Amino acid sequence: MELTAASLHNVNTEVDRYIIWPGQACAYKMGEIKIKELRRKTEQKLENKFDIKDYHHVFLSAGPMGLDTLEEAVDEYIESTLAQ
């Protein structure tokens, strides 16, 4: 509690969640790593055509999806942006 601004209730809820469902933390981290990897890839390929708003739209417009499907959506976004 000394290292967070969160309330005791919030801290307890988070600890309980990770104890009860440890795979959730692993899945969250894997998703974070993949999203950062895809952003670097997109920035490198699009260079000055990279638009963070358009990039975020790829993630938000399709709703929940697996990481493989997300990567396919990002690849399609890259191809369509380069074709413009």
Side-chain angles (χ1 to χ4, degrees):
M1 288 302 302
E2 295 172 9
L3 301 176
T4 182
S7 70
L8 178 60
H9 173 73
N10 286 348
V11 170
N12 286 334
T13 300
E14 289 297 301
V15 169
D16 289 346
R17 183 166 58 103
Y18 288 120
I19 289 170
I20 293 167
W21 194 13
Q24 188 274 337
C26 182
Y28 177 90
K29 192 63 177 176
M30 290 175 61
E32 177 190 18
I33 291 167
K34 186 62 165 182
I35 288 169
K36 287 179 177 180
E37 171 193 317
L38 291 173
R39 180 171 174 174
R40 278 191 305 274
K41 173 180 161 180
T42 305
E43 288 174 328
Q44 289 172 350
K45 290 194 176 213
L46 295 183
E47 296 177 338
N48 63 343
K49 288 186 172 187
F50 178 78
D51 182 325
I52 190 67
K53 290 179 185 177
D54 290 342
Y55 177 74
H56 283 170
H57 185 72
V58 172
F59 286 77
L60 300 175
S61 64
M65 66 183 96
L67 295 177
D68 290 342
T69 306
L70 176 61
E71 186 165 14
E72 290 173 11
V74 169
D75 288 342
E76 288 174 14
Y77 163 70
I78 292 169
E79 289 176 26
S80 68
T81 302
L82 288 174
Q84 295 175 1

XYZ file of all heavy atoms in Angstrom:
679
model
N 0.812 -1.191 0.000
C 0.000 0.000 0.000
C 0.861 1.263 0.000
O 0.401 2.284 -0.453
C -0.932 0.008 1.214
C -2.081 -0.987 1.129
S -3.157 -0.752 -0.309
C -3.694 0.917 -0.082
N 2.084 1.144 0.491
C 2.958 2.311 0.535
C 3.419 2.733 -0.857
O 3.880 3.848 -1.039
C 4.170 2.017 1.413
C 3.826 1.795 2.871
C 5.019 1.314 3.682
O 6.149 1.321 3.156
O 4.812 0.930 4.841
N 3.293 1.857 -1.858
C 3.830 2.145 -3.184
C 2.758 2.415 -4.235
O 3.065 2.450 -5.432
C 4.708 0.973 -3.643
C 5.889 0.655 -2.716
C 6.616 -0.584 -3.209
C 6.832 1.832 -2.617
N 1.517 2.622 -3.818
C 0.459 2.858 -4.793
C -0.498 3.933 -4.291
O -0.642 4.142 -3.077
C -0.327 1.568 -5.101
O -1.316 1.855 -6.088
C -1.006 1.008 -3.869
N -1.150 4.594 -5.219
C -2.176 5.572 -4.861
C -3.556 4.919 -4.832
O -4.540 5.559 -4.493
C -2.170 6.720 -5.864
N -3.622 3.640 -5.188
C -4.893 2.922 -5.213
C -5.402 2.685 -3.792
O -4.628 2.611 -2.840
C -4.720 1.585 -5.930
N -6.707 2.555 -3.705
C -7.314 2.290 -2.404
C -7.026 0.854 -1.970
O -6.677 0.000 -2.791
C -8.823 2.498 -2.474
O -9.413 1.467 -3.251
N -7.199 0.590 -0.700
C -7.010 -0.758 -0.178
C -7.943 -1.735 -0.879
O -7.539 -2.842 -1.243
C -7.242 -0.777 1.333
C -7.117 -2.141 2.017
C -5.720 -2.726 1.811
C -7.443 -2.030 3.501
N -9.170 -1.319 -1.109
C -10.132 -2.177 -1.806
C -9.630 -2.538 -3.207
O -9.676 -3.698 -3.621
C -11.503 -1.496 -1.897
C -12.478 -2.236 -2.745
N -13.080 -3.413 -2.336
C -12.928 -2.000 -3.999
C -13.866 -3.851 -3.295
N -13.786 -2.996 -4.316
N -9.149 -1.546 -3.964
C -8.648 -1.802 -5.325
C -7.432 -2.728 -5.312
O -7.322 -3.610 -6.158
C -8.295 -0.495 -6.030
C -9.516 0.279 -6.464
O -10.634 -0.237 -6.453
N -9.319 1.529 -6.834
N -6.550 -2.525 -4.374
C -5.369 -3.381 -4.273
C -5.787 -4.811 -3.959
O -5.325 -5.767 -4.592
C -4.377 -2.844 -3.220
C -3.277 -3.855 -2.948
C -3.791 -1.512 -3.666
N -6.677 -4.975 -3.000
C -7.161 -6.319 -2.653
C -7.854 -6.989 -3.833
O -7.664 -8.180 -4.076
C -8.103 -6.262 -1.446
C -7.374 -6.036 -0.153
O -6.188 -6.373 -0.029
N -8.044 -5.452 0.815
N -8.645 -6.227 -4.572
C -9.350 -6.769 -5.742
C -8.355 -7.257 -6.793
O -8.515 -8.347 -7.355
C -10.280 -5.697 -6.345
O -11.232 -5.316 -5.353
C -11.000 -6.219 -7.572
N -7.318 -6.468 -7.054
C -6.311 -6.859 -8.051
C -5.533 -8.095 -7.605
O -5.307 -9.009 -8.393
C -5.344 -5.703 -8.319
C -5.953 -4.571 -9.090
C -6.402 -4.996 -10.476
O -5.568 -5.466 -11.272
O -7.599 -4.854 -10.763
N -5.132 -8.130 -6.356
C -4.398 -9.289 -5.837
C -5.271 -10.539 -5.928
O -4.820 -11.592 -6.395
C -3.921 -9.042 -4.388
C -3.392 -10.326 -3.764
C -2.854 -7.953 -4.364
N -6.518 -10.424 -5.507
C -7.436 -11.569 -5.583
C -7.614 -12.032 -7.024
O -7.629 -13.227 -7.311
C -8.793 -11.220 -4.979
C -8.755 -11.087 -3.471
O -7.753 -11.519 -2.858
O -9.728 -10.544 -2.904
N -7.740 -11.078 -7.949
C -7.938 -11.437 -9.358
C -6.747 -12.225 -9.890
O -6.905 -13.232 -10.579
C -8.150 -10.172 -10.188
C -8.438 -10.443 -11.651
C -8.969 -9.200 -12.335
N -8.080 -8.074 -12.247
C -7.313 -7.658 -13.244
N -7.320 -8.287 -14.395
N -6.534 -6.615 -13.085
N -5.546 -11.800 -9.575
C -4.353 -12.495 -10.073
C -4.156 -13.850 -9.396
O -3.643 -14.778 -10.016
C -3.103 -11.633 -9.926
C -3.085 -10.482 -10.910
C -3.046 -9.169 -10.483
C -3.124 -10.725 -12.273
C -3.043 -8.120 -11.391
C -3.123 -9.687 -13.189
C -3.085 -8.392 -12.737
O -3.077 -7.360 -13.639
N -4.567 -13.969 -8.142
C -4.462 -15.254 -7.447
C -5.463 -16.254 -8.017
O -5.149 -17.419 -8.258
C -4.670 -15.067 -5.927
C -3.474 -14.347 -5.328
C -4.899 -16.407 -5.231
C -3.682 -13.904 -3.888
N -6.687 -15.792 -8.243
C -7.760 -16.659 -8.728
C -7.564 -17.012 -10.200
O -7.862 -18.112 -10.646
C -9.126 -15.973 -8.515
C -9.416 -15.856 -7.025
C -10.247 -16.730 -9.208
C -10.557 -14.926 -6.692
N -7.040 -16.077 -10.992
C -6.981 -16.233 -12.448
C -5.590 -15.833 -12.951
O -5.428 -14.833 -13.645
C -8.053 -15.355 -13.067
C -8.394 -15.588 -14.474
C -8.066 -16.642 -15.261
C -9.158 -14.705 -15.298
N -8.574 -16.476 -16.514
C -9.259 -15.295 -16.560
C -9.774 -13.486 -15.086
C -9.943 -14.702 -17.618
C -10.455 -12.894 -16.129
C -10.535 -13.503 -17.374
N -4.546 -16.611 -12.630
C -3.177 -16.205 -12.974
C -2.932 -16.122 -14.480
O -2.083 -15.350 -14.918
C -2.314 -17.281 -12.320
C -3.211 -18.449 -12.129
C -4.586 -17.889 -11.932
N -3.661 -16.868 -15.260
C -3.471 -16.810 -16.708
C -3.856 -15.467 -17.285
O -3.365 -15.070 -18.345
N -4.720 -14.728 -16.598
C -5.148 -13.421 -17.084
C -3.964 -12.471 -17.149
O -3.808 -11.731 -18.112
C -6.257 -12.865 -16.184
C -6.910 -11.595 -16.689
C -6.183 -10.327 -16.294
O -5.434 -10.274 -15.317
N -6.385 -9.288 -17.061
N -3.114 -12.487 -16.138
C -1.953 -11.598 -16.122
C -0.995 -11.944 -17.250
O -0.458 -11.059 -17.923
C -1.242 -11.681 -14.777
N -0.799 -13.225 -17.476
C 0.075 -13.672 -18.561
C -0.497 -13.260 -19.918
O 0.216 -12.738 -20.776
C 0.256 -15.184 -18.480
S 1.347 -15.854 -19.736
N -1.793 -13.465 -20.102
C -2.441 -13.097 -21.362
C -2.387 -11.592 -21.590
O -2.139 -11.132 -22.709
C -3.888 -13.581 -21.365
N -2.588 -10.818 -20.545
C -2.509 -9.366 -20.638
C -1.125 -8.939 -21.116
O -0.986 -8.117 -22.024
C -2.824 -8.731 -19.281
C -2.706 -7.236 -19.272
C -3.794 -6.431 -19.576
C -1.489 -6.614 -18.964
C -3.679 -5.049 -19.577
C -1.371 -5.238 -18.960
C -2.473 -4.458 -19.268
O -2.345 -3.095 -19.272
N -0.090 -9.515 -20.514
C 1.286 -9.145 -20.863
C 1.621 -9.562 -22.294
O 2.277 -8.817 -23.028
C 2.272 -9.771 -19.872
C 3.668 -9.218 -19.982
C 3.689 -7.743 -19.653
C 5.079 -7.182 -19.684
N 5.091 -5.740 -19.456
N 1.163 -10.740 -22.687
C 1.406 -11.192 -24.061
C 0.742 -10.234 -25.058
O 1.322 -9.898 -26.088
C 0.889 -12.612 -24.256
C 1.713 -13.650 -23.527
S 1.011 -15.304 -23.629
C 1.043 -15.596 -25.393
N -0.469 -9.800 -24.739
C -1.158 -8.844 -25.598
C -0.425 -7.519 -25.670
O -0.271 -6.936 -26.744
N 0.044 -7.045 -24.529
C 0.791 -5.789 -24.497
C 2.043 -5.876 -25.370
O 2.336 -4.972 -26.162
C 1.179 -5.454 -23.063
C 2.014 -4.189 -22.955
C 2.608 -3.979 -21.578
O 2.690 -4.929 -20.779
O 3.013 -2.832 -21.308
N 2.771 -6.956 -25.244
C 3.999 -7.137 -26.029
C 3.676 -7.179 -27.521
O 4.356 -6.548 -28.337
C 4.742 -8.413 -25.577
C 5.317 -8.214 -24.168
C 5.837 -8.805 -26.564
C 5.797 -9.488 -23.504
N 2.628 -7.910 -27.897
C 2.253 -8.033 -29.313
C 1.811 -6.685 -29.878
O 2.181 -6.321 -30.999
C 1.141 -9.070 -29.470
C 0.803 -9.359 -30.905
C 2.015 -9.939 -31.604
C 1.666 -10.570 -32.919
N 2.832 -11.171 -33.554
N 1.018 -5.942 -29.122
C 0.552 -4.639 -29.595
C 1.730 -3.690 -29.801
O 1.785 -2.968 -30.807
C -0.488 -4.060 -28.614
C -1.795 -4.854 -28.740
C -0.719 -2.573 -28.853
C -2.803 -4.570 -27.658
N 2.685 -3.688 -28.900
C 3.875 -2.840 -29.071
C 4.692 -3.280 -30.289
O 5.214 -2.446 -31.037
C 4.730 -2.869 -27.806
C 4.121 -2.092 -26.664
C 4.976 -2.146 -25.420
C 4.384 -1.308 -24.311
N 5.185 -1.337 -23.089
N 4.821 -4.587 -30.478
C 5.530 -5.122 -31.645
C 4.838 -4.680 -32.938
O 5.500 -4.240 -33.885
C 5.549 -6.646 -31.565
C 6.063 -7.342 -32.803
C 5.761 -8.840 -32.768
O 5.948 -9.466 -31.703
O 5.317 -9.375 -33.809
N 3.517 -4.779 -32.975
C 2.773 -4.388 -34.179
C 2.884 -2.890 -34.443
O 2.959 -2.462 -35.591
C 1.308 -4.809 -34.054
C 1.048 -6.311 -34.088
C -0.413 -6.609 -33.775
C 1.454 -6.910 -35.425
N 2.900 -2.101 -33.397
C 3.051 -0.652 -33.599
C 4.417 -0.333 -34.184
O 4.532 0.469 -35.119
C 2.840 0.103 -32.289
C 3.000 1.600 -32.507
C 2.603 2.402 -31.346
N 2.926 3.806 -31.587
C 2.599 4.781 -30.791
N 1.916 4.537 -29.690
N 2.933 6.018 -31.057
N 5.482 -0.928 -33.643
C 6.832 -0.686 -34.188
C 6.879 -1.094 -35.664
O 7.432 -0.368 -36.499
C 7.867 -1.469 -33.398
C 8.303 -0.812 -32.109
C 9.528 -1.472 -31.484
N 9.360 -2.910 -31.271
C 8.795 -3.455 -30.203
N 8.333 -2.692 -29.243
N 8.695 -4.758 -30.084
N 6.316 -2.254 -35.962
C 6.294 -2.745 -37.342
C 5.552 -1.755 -38.251
O 6.032 -1.424 -39.338
C 5.606 -4.111 -37.370
C 5.352 -4.691 -38.725
C 4.658 -6.041 -38.554
C 3.961 -6.520 -39.774
N 3.296 -7.821 -39.565
N 4.412 -1.275 -37.784
C 3.611 -0.348 -38.578
C 4.343 0.967 -38.781
O 4.382 1.502 -39.895
C 2.245 -0.111 -37.898
O 1.606 -1.375 -37.683
C 1.351 0.763 -38.744
N 4.939 1.491 -37.723
C 5.690 2.745 -37.843
C 6.851 2.599 -38.822
O 7.109 3.501 -39.628
C 6.218 3.176 -36.475
C 5.160 3.686 -35.543
C 5.663 3.971 -34.146
O 6.600 3.287 -33.667
O 5.115 4.890 -33.514
N 7.554 1.479 -38.768
C 8.692 1.261 -39.656
C 8.248 1.151 -41.112
O 8.883 1.711 -41.999
C 9.457 0.007 -39.256
C 10.220 0.165 -37.961
C 10.819 -1.148 -37.465
O 10.524 -2.211 -37.984
N 11.631 -1.071 -36.420
N 7.171 0.439 -41.355
C 6.730 0.232 -42.742
C 6.067 1.473 -43.330
O 6.235 1.760 -44.514
C 5.800 -0.963 -42.835
C 6.534 -2.261 -42.602
C 5.701 -3.455 -43.019
C 6.556 -4.694 -42.841
N 6.269 -5.709 -43.801
N 5.303 2.203 -42.510
C 4.566 3.352 -43.037
C 5.361 4.647 -42.973
O 5.033 5.597 -43.683
C 3.244 3.517 -42.290
C 2.225 2.403 -42.456
C 0.943 2.742 -41.721
C 1.940 2.110 -43.923
N 6.340 4.697 -42.114
C 7.162 5.891 -41.922
C 6.287 7.131 -41.764
O 5.507 7.208 -40.834
C 8.171 6.030 -43.065
C 9.164 4.878 -43.096
C 10.128 4.929 -44.258
O 9.811 5.578 -45.276
O 11.196 4.320 -44.140
N 6.365 8.095 -42.691
C 5.615 9.353 -42.531
C 4.119 9.198 -42.791
O 3.354 10.113 -42.523
C 6.202 10.457 -43.415
C 6.108 10.131 -44.890
O 5.895 8.989 -45.273
N 6.283 11.138 -45.724
N 3.685 8.053 -43.287
C 2.256 7.802 -43.478
C 1.594 7.270 -42.202
O 0.380 7.129 -42.158
C 2.021 6.793 -44.606
C 2.290 7.324 -45.989
C 1.884 6.306 -47.016
C 1.967 6.887 -48.415
N 1.412 5.948 -49.405
N 2.388 6.985 -41.182
C 1.837 6.447 -39.937
C 0.977 7.502 -39.261
O 1.397 8.634 -39.050
C 2.947 6.003 -38.988
C 2.434 5.474 -37.669
C 1.923 4.197 -37.592
C 2.451 6.269 -36.541
C 1.442 3.700 -36.381
C 1.982 5.779 -35.331
C 1.466 4.497 -35.251
N -0.248 7.127 -38.934
C -1.188 8.002 -38.229
C -1.708 7.228 -37.026
O -2.391 6.214 -37.189
C -2.331 8.404 -39.149
C -3.315 9.360 -38.501
O -3.565 9.250 -37.285
O -3.840 10.223 -39.223
N -1.403 7.713 -35.831
C -1.760 6.986 -34.613
C -3.270 6.806 -34.489
O -3.738 5.777 -34.013
C -1.155 7.668 -33.357
C -1.306 6.777 -32.121
C -1.780 9.027 -33.117
C -0.499 5.519 -32.163
N -4.050 7.780 -34.943
C -5.511 7.657 -34.851
C -6.012 6.525 -35.745
O -6.867 5.734 -35.349
C -6.181 8.974 -35.222
C -5.976 10.067 -34.205
C -6.636 11.349 -34.651
C -6.329 12.472 -33.683
N -6.897 13.745 -34.146
N -5.496 6.455 -36.961
C -5.888 5.371 -37.866
C -5.439 4.020 -37.318
O -6.162 3.031 -37.412
C -5.290 5.573 -39.259
C -5.919 6.735 -39.998
O -7.021 7.180 -39.600
O -5.305 7.208 -40.968
N -4.249 4.000 -36.765
C -3.718 2.764 -36.188
C -4.609 2.290 -35.040
O -4.983 1.123 -34.971
C -2.289 3.001 -35.700
C -1.662 1.812 -35.032
C -1.232 0.726 -35.780
C -1.503 1.766 -33.657
C -0.647 -0.379 -35.159
C -0.922 0.678 -33.032
C -0.497 -0.389 -33.793
O 0.063 -1.479 -33.182
N -5.016 3.184 -34.161
C -5.896 2.818 -33.053
C -7.258 2.363 -33.560
O -7.877 1.476 -32.981
C -6.054 3.980 -32.084
C -4.874 4.164 -31.197
N -4.713 5.261 -30.389
C -3.782 3.390 -30.973
C -3.581 5.160 -29.716
N -2.999 4.036 -30.058
N -7.708 2.959 -34.649
C -9.001 2.564 -35.230
C -8.987 1.085 -35.644
O -9.998 0.397 -35.505
C -9.341 3.452 -36.424
C -10.684 3.185 -36.993
N -11.850 3.551 -36.355
C -11.051 2.558 -38.124
C -12.874 3.166 -37.081
N -12.422 2.560 -38.161
N -7.846 0.598 -36.124
C -7.723 -0.818 -36.485
C -8.047 -1.695 -35.275
O -8.765 -2.686 -35.387
C -6.299 -1.148 -37.004
C -6.106 -2.637 -37.206
C -6.016 -0.380 -38.286
N -7.573 -1.304 -34.116
C -7.791 -2.077 -32.888
C -9.218 -1.956 -32.384
O -9.829 -2.929 -31.974
C -6.852 -1.583 -31.776
C -5.437 -2.007 -31.967
C -4.625 -1.387 -32.884
C -4.913 -3.028 -31.215
C -3.318 -1.772 -33.068
C -3.603 -3.435 -31.377
C -2.810 -2.804 -32.319
N -9.736 -0.751 -32.403
C -11.005 -0.492 -31.749
C -12.220 -0.815 -32.609
O -13.285 -1.121 -32.081
C -11.060 0.968 -31.303
C -9.962 1.375 -30.329
C -10.034 2.873 -30.048
C -10.058 0.587 -29.039
N -12.087 -0.765 -33.914
C -13.250 -0.934 -34.780
C -13.729 -2.372 -34.878
O -14.912 -2.616 -35.098
C -12.952 -0.398 -36.182
O -11.921 -1.149 -36.776
N -12.848 -3.330 -34.718
C -13.217 -4.737 -34.913
C -13.686 -5.420 -33.637
O -14.206 -6.522 -33.688
C -12.040 -5.502 -35.511
N -13.507 -4.782 -32.503
C -13.904 -5.396 -31.242
C -12.904 -6.445 -30.795
O -11.789 -6.525 -31.306
N -13.307 -7.284 -29.846
C -12.389 -8.306 -29.328
C -11.948 -9.280 -30.420
O -12.768 -9.677 -31.263
C -13.214 -9.039 -28.272
C -14.352 -8.135 -27.955
C -14.606 -7.326 -29.182
N -10.677 -9.621 -30.413
C -10.150 -10.563 -31.396
C -8.878 -11.189 -30.858
O -8.244 -10.629 -29.973
C -9.880 -9.864 -32.726
C -8.774 -8.829 -32.683
S -8.541 -7.956 -34.220
C -9.517 -6.501 -33.911
N -8.509 -12.329 -31.407
C -7.259 -12.974 -31.041
C -6.076 -12.211 -31.611
O -6.220 -11.386 -32.521
N -4.905 -12.488 -31.084
C -3.711 -11.771 -31.531
C -3.360 -12.064 -32.983
O -2.876 -11.180 -33.688
C -2.530 -12.081 -30.607
C -2.679 -11.581 -29.169
C -1.486 -12.014 -28.335
C -2.853 -10.072 -29.128
N -3.612 -13.291 -33.452
C -3.358 -13.610 -34.863
C -4.267 -12.791 -35.770
O -3.833 -12.268 -36.794
C -3.564 -15.100 -35.131
C -2.499 -15.969 -34.491
O -1.433 -15.437 -34.134
O -2.734 -17.182 -34.354
N -5.526 -12.683 -35.387
C -6.487 -11.893 -36.170
C -6.112 -10.425 -36.132
O -6.207 -9.726 -37.151
C -7.912 -12.098 -35.623
O -8.197 -13.504 -35.597
C -8.941 -11.390 -36.464
N -5.671 -9.948 -34.986
C -5.234 -8.563 -34.869
C -4.049 -8.301 -35.785
O -4.007 -7.286 -36.488
C -4.861 -8.242 -33.426
C -4.298 -6.851 -33.184
C -5.310 -5.781 -33.573
C -3.890 -6.701 -31.732
N -3.100 -9.210 -35.808
C -1.934 -9.022 -36.677
C -2.356 -8.990 -38.143
O -1.848 -8.195 -38.922
C -0.902 -10.120 -36.441
C 0.377 -9.887 -37.220
C 1.535 -10.736 -36.747
O 1.315 -11.702 -35.984
O 2.675 -10.423 -37.141
N -3.304 -9.830 -38.529
C -3.815 -9.813 -39.903
C -4.469 -8.465 -40.214
O -4.270 -7.909 -41.301
C -4.821 -10.940 -40.115
C -4.194 -12.319 -40.126
C -5.236 -13.433 -40.160
O -6.436 -13.143 -40.375
O -4.839 -14.593 -39.945
N -5.239 -7.934 -39.266
C -5.895 -6.638 -39.462
C -4.860 -5.527 -39.609
O -5.001 -4.635 -40.454
C -6.835 -6.347 -38.292
N -3.804 -5.573 -38.813
C -2.748 -4.563 -38.905
C -2.017 -4.686 -40.243
O -1.734 -3.686 -40.899
C -1.776 -4.667 -37.705
C -0.535 -3.810 -37.921
C -2.480 -4.271 -36.421
N -1.740 -5.914 -40.671
C -1.079 -6.116 -41.967
C -1.936 -5.573 -43.112
O -1.422 -4.945 -44.044
C -0.763 -7.595 -42.196
C 0.379 -8.095 -41.316
O 1.143 -7.259 -40.781
O 0.496 -9.327 -41.160
N -3.249 -5.795 -43.032
C -4.156 -5.256 -44.057
C -4.148 -3.733 -44.027
O -4.168 -3.086 -45.077
C -5.566 -5.781 -43.837
C -5.722 -7.245 -44.176
C -7.102 -7.790 -43.815
O -8.028 -6.994 -43.544
O -7.244 -9.024 -43.805
N -4.119 -3.162 -42.822
C -4.061 -1.705 -42.685
C -2.772 -1.163 -43.307
O -2.794 -0.172 -44.035
C -4.142 -1.318 -41.205
C -3.697 0.094 -40.918
C -4.454 1.180 -41.338
C -2.517 0.341 -40.233
C -4.034 2.478 -41.082
C -2.098 1.625 -39.971
C -2.863 2.693 -40.398
O -2.440 3.980 -40.151
N -1.663 -1.831 -43.051
C -0.381 -1.409 -43.630
C -0.445 -1.449 -45.150
O -0.095 -0.476 -45.837
C 0.776 -2.263 -43.108
C 1.008 -2.006 -41.621
C 2.054 -2.022 -43.906
C 1.957 -2.999 -40.946
N -0.924 -2.570 -45.699
C -1.010 -2.713 -47.156
C -1.925 -1.653 -47.772
O -1.571 -1.052 -48.786
C -1.512 -4.106 -47.504
C -0.507 -5.209 -47.243
C -1.087 -6.598 -47.519
O -2.035 -6.702 -48.339
O -0.597 -7.559 -46.919
N -3.075 -1.436 -47.177
C -4.016 -0.458 -47.754
C -3.479 0.958 -47.644
O -3.667 1.777 -48.549
C -5.392 -0.569 -47.087
O -5.339 -0.149 -45.748
N -2.772 1.270 -46.566
C -2.202 2.608 -46.410
C -1.071 2.835 -47.392
O -0.966 3.926 -47.988
C -1.718 2.809 -44.958
O -2.817 2.606 -44.066
C -1.165 4.202 -44.753
N -0.239 1.812 -47.607
C 0.859 1.967 -48.578
C 0.335 2.090 -50.006
O 0.966 2.731 -50.846
C 1.812 0.778 -48.462
C 2.693 0.746 -47.214
C 3.478 -0.554 -47.145
C 3.628 1.946 -47.184
N -0.813 1.503 -50.274
C -1.382 1.539 -51.621
C -2.004 2.895 -51.956
O -2.260 3.182 -53.118
C -2.432 0.448 -51.759
N -2.228 3.714 -50.942
C -2.873 5.035 -51.178
C -1.908 6.020 -51.786
O -0.775 6.091 -51.574
C -3.415 5.601 -49.872
C -4.515 4.770 -49.298
C -4.979 5.283 -47.929
O -4.504 6.277 -47.409
N -5.908 4.558 -47.342
